[in-house]
Structures are given as C-alpha cells and as structure tokens.
Amino acid sequence: MSGFTLPTRLFLACPSRAHHSKLMLYCKMSSSSSSSSLTHSITLPSQPTEPVNVAATAGVSSSDFRRVENAVDSSLFKNWLRNLESETGILADGTMTLKQVIIQGVDMFGERIGFLKFKADILDKESGHKVPGIVFARGPAVAVLILLESDDGETYAVLTEQVRVPTGKIVLELPAGMLDDDEGDFVGTAVREVEEEIGIKLRKEEMVDLTAFLDPSTGHRIFPSPGGCDEEISVFLYRRQVEQETIRQLQGKETGLREHGEFIKARLVPYRELWRKTADAKVLMSIGLYEMAQRVGLVPRH
C-alpha cells in the first residue's frame, strides 16, 4: 500500500514493559477417535496433581479437532492459561481449580488459529460451585490514538470508518489490530496496523504506550469486555505537527487491505469533540488514559 511519512517534529519515548514468563504445559492425546470424545490432557504448574481435560464438544469435526490440537499449543490459548496463573490470576491463591475446557469452535486465519470459542469449568473449592466460564478468545491487540496538530491551531484525531458486522453498524474507531505472531511485538503491530488502515508510516521511537502507565497489577493491558472475551489491548499515543494540506489529504481517504475484507475510510475529528463522536470503547479509553497522563505530567500537554 502506498503511504506517506509525516515530517518529524515530536519525539516521545515508549516506557518499557515487563515480559510474561513462559508457561510449561504437558499435553497428551487420548486414543479415542470419535469427535465427541477427542481429548487432550494438560497439567498446569499451579495444580500439578489435577490434570485438566481439553475436549471437543459434540459437533466439532475430527478435522476441526486437529486444529484444536494446534490451538492447545498456540500462543492464543497459552496466553489465556498464563493469565489464569499470573499473580492476580484466578488460580493464583489455590482457592479455585480448572477442571476442564470444552472447545466449541475454531476459526482459522490462514494457517494460524484466529479465534477460539470454549467453555472453561472453574470451580470454587470451598463451595464446589462453578464460576461463569464461557470464553471468546482472540488474544492481545493494539490501538493507536493519533493526534495531528494542524498549523491552523486545531488538533485532529485520526479514526477509521469500518463496517462492523457484529454491531450491525458502521463504526468510527481508533486504528487497531490483533497480534498475529508469537513475538509479542506490540509496538511493531501498532505501526503496521496504522500503515495498513490509514496509510501513514509511523516510527516506533515516536510511540508512547499509554497502558504502560497503568498499575503493574493490570498487566499493562485493558480488558474491554472481560465478561466474555479475553481480548487485552495496549493503547499507544502518536502526536505530530502537520500542515492543513495533510489533514485535507487524509480526510475520507479509502484504505485497508481489500483482500482481508477491509473497507476502510479515514475520518479526522477535532480532538475537543472526540469524546462525543463515537461509541468505540477504544477511543473513550484512550481519551481517559491520555488526559490523566497529561494531568500527572507523564505526557506533555498538546
């Protein structure tokens, strides 16, 4: 995709982030061949004497379950297990236990696992009751708040206008995307998504990780819908000074990767109006992080 590089005026440092420790899993495949009883058994460090059964629900084909075999080894599934066993995780204090995981659906993005739908049976040991455990797993993602400071004195936020079938609506959003590898390169993903969705080439050293300012107990991520989805988002800030002509060129620009089903238009909104122009949670969360970071002096005021 053709793009353009904005003139360099402002450089902001990106705070460092602690890396997650690796999670060791021990897996074996059962000898059964029927789709309703195809299973894995995994052993978690937090409950070494209580193996966890991972099975396919009735209706998941044998070919789909072979994808599940790969899913158990995928970064998507391991990230969910890692969160369970983190310092603030459900299994951390030993009062709860993971009994089994029932895989209900697998969506592939080419050769890799894209989305997983599963049900996790997690029990409170004292009462024996289950906690709600239906999970739509899609893994880590990034979003970027791009603020372009025009020479006319106005600051504009760059949004994407996209067709969002789950909502049934066309939605104005922050440029965003999922991590599509196992490297955990959040900054690199953010830069790539902006270039693909908007056509602007960013530099990593100019990105500020707003979620890095959160308390370490949060994992420096935002969970937009924790009641049903594991998605955890890192929100970045990118600020530049530009001429009015740049604003004009970007407004309404058609972008996105058509071969990936992306039909995107760039929409620029004055920052002072941004909080009321869209219901996108990423936009509203980024405003809160940005404003508070400015208030306490972690980010210079624009």
Side-chain angles (χ1 to χ4, degrees):
M1 174 183 296
S2 62
F4 59 91
T5 303
L6 297 174
T8 303
R9 298 284 185 88
L10 181 64
F11 293 89
L12 297 172
C14 179
S16 62
R17 178 195 302 285
H19 295 286
H20 288 299
S21 59
K22 292 184 178 179
L23 177 68
M24 300 302 295
L25 297 176
Y26 304 91
C27 304
K28 63 181 180 180
M29 183 68 182
S30 75
S31 59
S32 175
S33 60
S34 66
S35 63
S36 61
S37 58
L38 285 168
T39 64
H40 279 286
S41 178
I42 63 177
T43 301
L44 302 178
S46 63
Q47 49 184 67
T49 63
E50 301 176 82
V52 179
N53 190 51
V54 182
T57 189
V60 174
S61 68
S62 296
S63 60
D64 280 342
F65 194 80
R66 283 192 287 275
R67 295 175 181 174
V68 174
E69 294 178 43
N70 295 329
V72 171
D73 259 341
S74 71
S75 59
L76 182 64
F77 192 68
K78 286 183 176 179
N79 185 67
W80 177 74
L81 292 174
R82 186 181 299 115
N83 283 342
L84 287 180
E85 299 204 303
S86 67
E87 290 184 1
T88 57
I90 293 171
L91 305 181
D93 63 2
T95 61
M96 295 192 178
T97 181
L98 174 61
K99 289 295 186 182
Q100 69 173 349
V101 175
I102 306 297
I103 304 294
Q104 299 170 320
V106 182
D107 287 308
M108 303 296 294
F109 291 178
E111 296 299 316
R112 69 182 180 87
I113 302 293
F115 297 145
L116 286 177
K117 170 69 164 52
F118 59 87
K119 182 175 181 292
D121 288 342
I122 295 181
L123 275 65
D124 175 70
K125 291 181 178 179
E126 182 176 353
S127 68
H129 294 310
K130 294 180 183 180
V131 296
I134 296 175
V135 181
F136 170 53
R138 55 177 293 158
V142 297
V144 188
L145 174 62
I146 302 173
L147 298 181
L148 302 181
E149 301 167 7
S150 173
D151 55 11
D152 65 357
E154 189 77 77
T155 296
Y156 294 88
V158 181
L159 304 181
T160 62
E161 180 184 279
Q162 300 198 55
V163 174
R164 292 305 193 189
V165 174
T167 69
K169 298 181 179 181
I170 296 174
V171 181
L172 287 177
E173 308 178 26
L174 288 189
M178 299 166 55
L179 264 69
D180 56 7
D181 55 44
D182 297 340
E183 302 302 319
D185 184 7
F186 287 84
V187 181
T189 299
V191 169
R192 183 174 63 254
E193 290 296 331
V194 168
E195 183 169 358
E196 290 177 356
E197 293 191 357
I198 305 296
I200 301 176
K201 295 180 180 179
L202 309 183
R203 296 178 180 176
K204 289 185 178 182
E205 64 269 20
E206 297 176 1
M207 306 286 282
V208 175
D209 186 349
L210 293 175
T211 39
F213 299 137
L214 296 174
D215 188 88
S217 64
T218 66
H220 303 293
R221 305 279 197 275
I222 293 173
F223 293 93
S225 187
C229 184
D230 75 325
E231 183 179 33
E232 49 184 23
I233 301 177
S234 293
V235 179
F236 291 88
L237 168 69
Y238 181 82
R239 299 195 314 192
R240 296 295 289 274
Q241 295 178 344
V242 299
E243 297 178 351
Q244 292 182 49
E245 178 60 18
T246 299
I247 304 298
R248 189 192 67 77
Q249 290 178 10
L250 280 175
Q251 189 68 267
K253 181 180 179 181
E254 294 186 357
T255 62
L257 300 177
R258 290 297 190 268
E259 63 272 22
H260 291 176
E262 296 178 345
F263 299 89
I264 300 172
K265 289 184 180 180
R267 297 297 186 193
L268 276 67
V269 175
Y271 178 73
R272 55 188 168 81
E273 301 176 4
L274 181 61
W275 69 275
R276 61 189 303 180
K277 289 296 187 180
T278 175
D280 177 39
K282 298 183 297 297
V283 169
L284 301 177
M285 291 185 296
S286 70
I287 292 172
L289 288 171
Y290 178 51
E291 292 292 336
M292 291 305 300
Q294 286 188 110
R295 181 177 298 182
V296 299
L298 294 172
V299 173
R301 291 190 175 276
H302 65 270

